[in-house]
Amino acid sequence: MGDMETTFVMIKPDGVQRGLVSDIIGRFENKGLRLVGLRQLKPSHELAETHYAVHSERPFYSGLIEFITSGPVVAMAWTGIGAITVARNLIGPTDGKEAPPGTIRGDFSMDIGHNVIHGSDGPETARFELELWFPDGLVDWVRDTEIHIYE
Ligand code: DAT
Ligand code: MG
């Protein structure tokens, strides 16, 4: 059994505009992850630039910042065993055209930029992103159903 982890997940402006919020949250809940943070906000340029600082030298960076700040996003924190990898697997590969059916990007995206959702790519990134988007901390609770979800 792996470690209990918390990961940062964000539904991007295209996902919110397209009305995919309930479907996406449902997938994480149904999988068995525990929702420990939830915020809807229109990100400032500063927040978006800090979040995507690792990509600041890439040619798509300015377009990416414009996109992420273009409308409300839904920021979430999900906890579970191996949650970082579990979330990345639910989300699927970056380019929606190549993402397999059954993944969120595979089911809802045709694009590499407008790809509906973000998920932290490792433990260090998750810590950084959770602190950035949830500076007031997360909700400390346990789903009663976890006794059925885990052996
Ligand atoms: P991921 O979101 O799958 O972790 P990433 O970290 O490589 O992908 O890139 C962050 C985001 O930047 C990605 O979700 C969409 C955008 N992006 C990445 N590569 C791109 C490209 N070649 N053209 C346009 N946008 C891109
Ligand atoms: Mg990434």
Side-chain angles (χ1 to χ4, degrees), residues 108-129:
F108 295 130
S109 162
M110 287 288 285
D111 198 73
I112 194 166
H114 289 196
N115 61 5
V116 175
I117 186 165
H118 164 86
S120 306
D121 64 9
E124 224 169 278
T125 318
R127 259 192 305 278
F128 172 77
E129 294 175 349

Side-chain angles (χ1 to χ4, degrees), residues 84-98:
I84 296 168
T85 301
V86 168
R88 293 280 289 189
N89 289 341
L90 288 175
I91 289 167
T94 309
D95 188 346
K97 291 186 292 302
E98 288 162 16

Side-chain angles (χ1 to χ4, degrees), residues 12 52 55 58 60 64 88 93-94 105 112-113 115 117-119:
K12 297 181 181 181
Y52 280 124
H55 295 304
R58 309 283 285 277
F60 56 82
L64 178 60
R88 293 280 289 189
T94 309
R105 286 167 171 168
I112 194 166
N115 61 5
I117 186 165
H118 164 86

Side-chain angles (χ1 to χ4, degrees), residues 4-148:
M4 208 38 115
E5 297 175 334
T6 301
T7 190
F8 175 71
V9 173
M10 172 177 58
I11 306 173
K12 297 181 181 181
D14 55 336
V16 175
Q17 289 287 358
R18 290 172 55 194
L20 300 176
V21 171
S22 63
D23 185 299
I24 290 171
I25 290 180
R27 290 176 185 228
F28 285 84
E29 271 195 316
N30 290 342
K31 180 69 175 165
L33 294 169
R34 183 198 315 161
L35 185 62
V36 295
L38 179 66
R39 270 183 88 193
Q40 184 179 34
L41 71 158
K42 194 168 174 222
S44 66
H45 270 72
E46 190 190 352
L47 180 57
E49 284 167 3
T50 306
H51 175 79
Y52 280 124
V54 66
H55 295 304
S56 62
E57 303 304 319
R58 309 283 285 277
F60 56 82
Y61 181 68
S62 63
L64 178 60
I65 299 304
E66 280 315 300
F67 170 53
I68 291 298
T69 56
S70 67
V73 301
V74 172
M76 297 175 281
W78 290 97
T79 294
I81 291 176
I84 296 168
T85 301
V86 168
R88 293 280 289 189
N89 289 341
L90 288 175
I91 289 167
T94 309
D95 188 346
K97 291 186 292 302
E98 288 162 16
T103 66
I104 293 165
R105 286 167 171 168
D107 289 348
F108 295 130
S109 162
M110 287 288 285
D111 198 73
I112 194 166
H114 289 196
N115 61 5
V116 175
I117 186 165
H118 164 86
S120 306
D121 64 9
E124 224 169 278
T125 318
R127 259 192 305 278
F128 172 77
E129 294 175 349
L130 289 165
E131 177 64 35
L132 180 66
W133 292 86
F134 291 98
D136 297 334
L138 302 171
V139 181
D140 185 18
W141 73 297
V142 176
R143 278 176 75 168
D144 292 343
T145 49
E146 283 172 31
I147 57 167
H148 305 291

